[in-house]
Amino acid sequence: MIKKNQTLGEFIIENQKYFEYSTGELAKLLNSIRLAAKVVNHEVNKAGLVDILGTAGATNIQGEAQQKLDVYANEKFIRMLTNREIVCGIASEENDDFITIEGQHKDNKNKYVVLIDPLDGSSNIDVNVSVGTIFSIYRRITPVGTPVEMSDFLQPGNQQIAAGYIVYGTSTMLVYTTGYGVYGFTLNPPIGTYYLSHPKMRFPEKGHIYSINEGNYLQFPQGVKDYIKYCQAEEDDRPYTSRYIGSLVSDMHRNILKGGIYIYPQSSKYKNGKLRLLYECNPMAFIAEQAGGKASDGYRRILDIQPEHLHQRIPFFCGNKEMVERAEAFMRNADAPK
Ligand code: P6P
């Protein structure tokens, strides 16, 4: 049941009963993410004032210069999740390998693992453009009480039990799903409470926004080039509008609210696309499908793809169902033997 202005904490507890197996651990887990997001939000909002702008002088496994705020956000989320002993393992974009959380009692009875992109789109921080955090939660598949293994993290996205994002934009919002719809909560900064502002978020029936970095046009597969030309043609209800922020969370959030498709395809620079399957595409795909949309790699449903390694990249087509299906048709037609 949806109550106007319900707080995130009330909502989690009230909907706990819809969540099988949970013994309140998921509520604690979502609450720890909520708290970490408040702390990161505080830093993001004052990034221009203190020395946390710019690069941290290190690079992550992706070979990308780590921003100071990337490192800060990563440390905050990992510490928050570790100190509360709610999860048995964490994988992060910023860490080469996964982290095993040894419980104080050594026989860690926790049953969830979290995969996280602590600060996505962080290259936008220095230019004051919105960034976000993305998280994905699974039940472990190895025996409870034993150290987590890679197999606990390499589960297909259709096994996620919860996924969400925080968008640090003109307002800070936490959006998540546990498989019963997508709910958006807006932070009221003076009191540090999130209120239910977007119940049952769903893509509009039709979408007219396409989000893609057209600077890479010449490197795109022919099917993507054909789809972009389709979007730009002046007929039917086109041309569509091109909107690309360069921050997956922001582009996806806008497209769910307004209707649109986000595409990061394979290219000569990124043979398997740029986005990571485990902590960007899977959580966003779970949310998109729960909001009535669709997510694929241009051919296969993202949530059915069996991951092979932690930082695996994958082409990503995600948005309104009819827009994704049309883009997939262009991909198939371009591949068909002439
Ligand atoms: P490009 C940010 O680094 C990110 O992972 C997504 O948030 C964003 O949509 C994309 O990469 C931007 O990549 O190559 O267009 O700058």
Side-chain angles (χ1 to χ4, degrees):
M1 184 172 65
I2 294 163
K3 292 176 189 151
K4 192 161 171 46
N5 288 337
Q6 190 171 27
T7 68
L8 175 56
E10 293 162 348
F11 182 85
I12 291 172
I13 290 165
E14 181 154 313
N15 291 280
Q16 184 71 47
K17 58 180 173 290
Y18 294 121
F19 197 68
E20 56 185 313
Y21 309 119
S22 182
T23 55
E25 257 182 285
L26 182 72
K28 281 196 293 183
L29 174 44
L30 289 172
N31 276 319
S32 60
I33 290 172
R34 169 179 65 136
L35 185 54
K38 269 196 287 191
V39 173
V40 170
N41 173 66
H42 181 68
E43 286 305 304
V44 165
N45 284 347
K46 67 179 187 181
L49 301 176
V50 294
D51 180 28
I52 48 173
L53 280 175
T55 60
T59 55
N60 61 20
I61 188 172
Q62 332 291 341
E64 293 164 347
Q66 284 184 309
Q67 302 289 324
K68 288 175 184 170
L69 213 45
D70 275 337
V71 175
Y72 175 86
N74 193 43
E75 286 166 1
K76 278 292 169 228
F77 276 99
I78 288 173
R79 189 175 313 137
M80 203 67 77
L81 291 165
T82 303
N83 293 348
R84 297 187 162 202
E85 286 198 28
I86 301 161
V87 299
C88 48
I90 303 170
S92 168
E93 187 215 19
E94 300 300 332
N95 294 68
D96 298 358
D97 202 353
F98 63 82
I99 299 162
T100 299
I101 312 293
E102 293 292 343
Q104 283 167 358
H105 319 297
K106 289 297 172 221
D107 57 348
N108 187 332
K109 293 282 187 241
N110 297 322
K111 52 179 176 283
Y112 297 117
V113 295
V114 178
L115 297 98
I116 193 161
D117 183 355
L119 207 63
D120 180 74
S122 54
S123 56
N124 288 317
I125 291 169
D126 294 1
V127 294
N128 204 15
V129 169
S130 53
V131 292
T133 297
I134 310 171
F135 63 90
S136 171
I137 302 172
Y138 291 84
R139 286 172 60 82
R140 68 179 302 173
I141 54 175
T142 53
V144 170
T146 63
V148 283
E149 296 175 21
M150 184 61 84
S151 58
D152 292 308
F153 298 93
L154 298 185
Q155 300 182 55
N158 55 37
Q159 296 303 303
Q160 289 175 97
I161 56 160
Y165 59 82
I166 298 103
V167 51
Y168 307 101
T170 44
S171 62
T172 295
M173 277 190 72
L174 188 150
V175 175
Y176 84 98
T177 183
T178 58
Y180 295 89
V182 178
Y183 292 84
F185 297 81
T186 300
L187 179 66
N188 182 353
I191 52 176
T193 302
Y194 291 88
Y195 289 93
L196 179 62
S197 52
H198 297 67
K200 289 197 178 298
M201 287 170 66
R202 288 187 69 80
F203 286 95
E205 200 52 43
K206 299 282 285 175
H208 293 92
I209 296 170
Y210 68 100
S211 307
I212 188 168
N213 185 342
E214 295 188 60
N216 302 324
Y217 180 85
L218 295 179
Q219 301 174 41
F220 288 156
Q222 189 56 47
V224 171
K225 291 179 178 175
D226 296 341
Y227 180 66
I228 290 173
K229 290 307 164 203
Y230 169 83
C231 292
Q232 294 170 341
E234 292 200 87
E235 52 191 81
D236 304 336
D237 56 355
R238 288 167 287 148
Y240 294 161
T241 295
S242 171
R243 286 283 183 275
Y244 191 70
I245 299 172
S247 167
L248 171 66
V249 171
S250 306
D251 280 315
M252 277 296 301
H253 185 69
R254 180 208 53 242
N255 288 351
I256 295 174
L257 295 177
K258 302 282 188 190
I261 183 172
Y262 173 99
I263 302 177
Y264 207 108
Q266 58 276 43
S267 66
S268 40
K269 181 179 177 188
Y270 291 110
K271 295 275 181 285
N272 295 308
K274 177 185 181 186
L275 302 191
R276 291 75 159 190
L277 173 60
L278 288 180
Y279 39 80
E280 288 178 314
C281 300
N282 272 337
M284 282 306 184
F286 187 17
I287 289 167
E289 290 195 0
Q290 283 290 310
K294 188 170 183 182
S296 77
D297 65 353
Y299 305 96
R300 300 170 294 171
R301 181 186 183 223
I302 288 288
L303 295 182
D304 291 341
I305 293 172
Q306 175 55 52
E308 290 161 15
H309 55 85
L310 215 45
H311 301 288
Q312 174 176 348
R313 297 178 191 266
I314 196 93
F316 195 50
F317 296 62
C318 184
N320 273 74
K321 196 164 185 294
E322 51 100 15
M323 296 183 87
V324 172
E325 288 174 347
R326 189 181 300 276
E328 289 169 340
F330 277 102
M331 294 295 282
R332 280 194 304 276
N333 295 341
D335 295 347
K338 299 295 180 262

